[in-house]
Amino acid sequence: MTGLVVGEVFANAARAVPDRTAVVLGERSLTFAELEAAAELGLRRLLALGLAAGDRVGCGPISTGAGIAAVPLFAALARLGAVLVPADPEHPDAYAPALVLDTAEQADALIADLDDEDPEDLPEPPDVEPAETDWCLLAPAGRRGVLLSHRVLVLRSHPGALAESRGAHVLAADLADGRAWTLALAQWHARGTLVLVPGGDPAALRAAVREHAATRLTAAPAVWRALAETEAERPAVDEVLDTLRFADTEPAEAAVLADIARIAPNASVRVVHDTPETGPLTALSGPQVFAHPGACGIPGPLHYVALDPDGEMCVRGPLLFDGYADDPAATAEVLAEGWYRTGDLAVLDEATGVLTVTGRAAELIRVGTRTVGPGEVERVLKAHPDVRDVAVIGLPHPTAGHVLGAVVVAEDPARVPGPGALRTACAEAGLAEHKHPVRVFYADELPSGAGRREDLTREITAGR
């Protein structure tokens, strides 16, 4: 194997550092040499089962399904030219897999050495490697499945022309989606050790960082927050996170970023905006992170990002997905002439090049002939010292189509910000007049969840 194919990532590491630990999950681990041998055996057993290039194989989450065997089986499937489908336990037959591995026993049986088995009885691996454009991973993305080729996965995870020495990477995630597999491949591409802690239990994360002297920890903001809260409850200063040099998360609020900096004092904090369709799209690190809380960052070098007239973020470049599995209509809706319409509304800080996602294009409010992303206005209003929470909605208007309404929760009920104060805040932030709230409502609290704007709109238009 010499091309941009996933199997070469594992083979290259096995040649260079055969005795280095590749992956750790709980009490089990595999060196790169062991992983390579297990992948070879798994490939031959998959062939014996009748699997062929192009077949799909469902594999349950490592935490509750296939376990650590999922890693060499992914390498085996990649060499076969088959497609790994991280299976949903509630819908294991989604995308018509030829085989489903939903227990550790099933997966282990494909890679374990058997005393009574003659290797000569197993089929020989094919001499022809898969093409770079062949699909390798079918990653879940909501109700759709994102198809990713060998070339895309290798490019998304490539560490650069020369491998740099890196310590262990603790990943607080299951290998159940494209993002997690990309992060894992990036570590193996660099011939480093990956320590998996599915679920992100704070005690397990601290133990993993301590045991492996990890230099990188990747976790969702909620996991970092839980880690910070449990750290604050400890009776003495615990320096288990002092080995970290990189602390990665998704776009997060200032309080979460401050927590990360406190519990990982020697680490460079980085936020990464990643989607199944684009891979790692934007990032911020170092001082910029704290200067732009909540921002998603600056586009990576292999992505070209543009905002359409409505503010929707559109992307092109070699890291884009190949389409949605078995859904050409959905693919055509978002992929056209090399551009992918993300559905995310964003604003650009032209002075720094930093992008901030403010909402979804489906939430756009039409005001006359112009559009408003409610998240952009909410960001401004939330910065007002007397506003604790706010939701911006579209209210029907006889001539403009819609006007903006704001439902506000005051920071102090005795000091409620009036409509004039809120419109002044919008003007001072540089928002055009059609982005100012025309009507203001007040509430003790707002509903939670993605549909809260719709809920409030229905309630208010019904006669509140």
Side-chain angles (χ1 to χ4, degrees):
M1 292 179 290
T2 57
L4 297 178
V5 290
V6 167
E8 180 60 20
V9 174
F10 297 100
N12 185 292
R15 290 192 299 267
V17 287
D19 297 327
R20 182 175 296 166
T21 300
V23 59
V24 179
L25 176 63
E27 299 298 318
R28 298 185 64 182
S29 65
L30 292 169
T31 66
F32 281 107
E34 291 168 339
L35 195 162
E36 181 75 358
E40 177 77 9
L41 186 55
L43 171 57
R44 298 178 71 177
R45 289 204 175 113
L46 289 169
L47 288 167
L49 291 174
L51 266 75
D55 284 342
R56 298 172 181 176
V57 175
C59 190
I62 62 166
S63 57
T64 58
I68 200 170
V71 178
L73 286 174
F74 178 44
L77 291 169
R79 290 174 188 172
L80 178 60
V83 182
L84 176 72
V85 183
D88 180 349
E90 296 182 2
H91 306 283
D93 296 326
Y95 304 111
L99 175 68
V100 177
L101 304 171
D102 52 11
T103 69
E105 290 76 16
Q106 288 177 301
D108 283 339
L110 288 172
I111 64 169
D113 288 316
L114 300 178
D115 294 334
D116 58 351
E117 180 181 57
D118 186 350
E120 297 298 325
D121 294 335
L122 294 173
E124 288 292 328
D127 292 331
V128 180
E129 68 180 35
E132 295 179 1
T133 53
D134 286 349
W135 297 329
C136 182
L137 183 67
L138 197 163
R143 293 171 295 174
R144 295 168 176 164
V146 168
L147 290 167
L148 301 174
S149 68
H150 285 264
R151 179 183 178 85
V152 165
L153 277 173
V154 170
L155 289 176
R156 285 185 182 185
S157 61
H158 204 285
L162 297 174
E164 296 181 358
S165 176
R166 62 169 71 182
H169 180 179
V170 175
L171 178 58
D174 216 326
L175 291 182
D177 57 37
R179 178 175 182 269
W181 277 109
T182 299
L183 289 169
L185 278 172
Q187 185 70 353
W188 296 325
H189 232 145
R191 306 166 183 170
T193 299
L194 181 72
V195 183
L196 294 164
V197 185
D201 175 70
L205 287 172
R206 281 196 299 270
V209 171
R210 180 195 297 116
E211 179 180 353
H212 299 280
T215 58
R216 185 184 299 272
L217 171 60
T218 299
V223 175
W224 277 108
R225 173 57 64 88
L227 187 58
E229 289 173 350
T230 55
E231 195 76 12
E233 296 169 359
R234 298 170 73 82
V237 175
D238 194 335
E239 298 182 349
V240 298
L241 300 184
D242 278 4
T243 60
L244 293 178
R245 297 297 178 266
F246 304 95
D248 289 356
T249 191
E250 300 157 22
E253 298 177 353
V256 175
L257 299 173
D259 281 339
I260 298 174
R262 176 173 59 80
I263 63 175
N266 298 324
S268 173
V269 180
R270 181 175 67 167
V271 299
V272 179
H273 179 55
D274 187 305
T275 77
E277 292 89 348
T278 65
L281 177 57
T282 59
L284 274 182
S285 60
Q288 282 188 311
V289 170
F290 304 98
H292 302 276
C296 60
I298 298 171
L302 293 182
H303 282 303
Y304 181 76
V305 177
L307 302 182
D308 78 357
D310 288 335
E312 182 178 359
M313 187 158 51
C314 302
V315 184
R316 70 184 307 165
L319 305 189
L320 290 183
F321 73 126
D322 296 293
Y324 294 117
D326 309 328
D327 199 341
T331 300
E333 286 180 8
V334 297
L335 275 178
E337 297 180 353
W339 286 95
Y340 165 59
R341 303 188 69 89
T342 66
D344 287 330
L345 297 174
V347 294
L348 173 67
D349 183 331
E350 295 187 359
T352 62
V354 173
L355 287 160
T356 300
V357 172
T358 60
R360 296 288 293 170
E363 300 171 341
L364 281 172
I365 300 168
R366 294 282 174 181
V367 179
T369 60
R370 294 165 291 193
T371 57
V372 180
E376 179 185 6
V377 183
E378 287 172 356
R379 250 183 352 117
V380 170
L381 296 179
K382 282 182 180 179
H384 192 288
D386 293 332
V387 175
R388 178 160 58 88
D389 198 3
V390 63
V392 171
I393 59 177
L395 299 173
H397 187 272
T399 58
H402 292 88
V403 293
L404 296 192
V407 186
V408 174
V409 178
E411 188 66 49
D412 182 350
R415 195 175 65 249
V416 176
L422 298 177
R423 286 193 280 269
T424 297
C426 290
E428 291 177 347
L431 294 184
E433 190 171 350
H434 70 280
K435 297 182 180 181
H436 298 187
V438 173
R439 300 183 64 188
V440 178
F441 306 86
Y442 299 93
D444 294 331
E445 62 180 1
L446 298 181
S448 59
R452 73 175 189 167
R453 294 192 188 103
E454 290 81 357
D455 294 340
L456 289 168
T457 301
R458 281 193 296 269
E459 184 179 347
I460 290 171
T461 55
R464 175 182 167 180

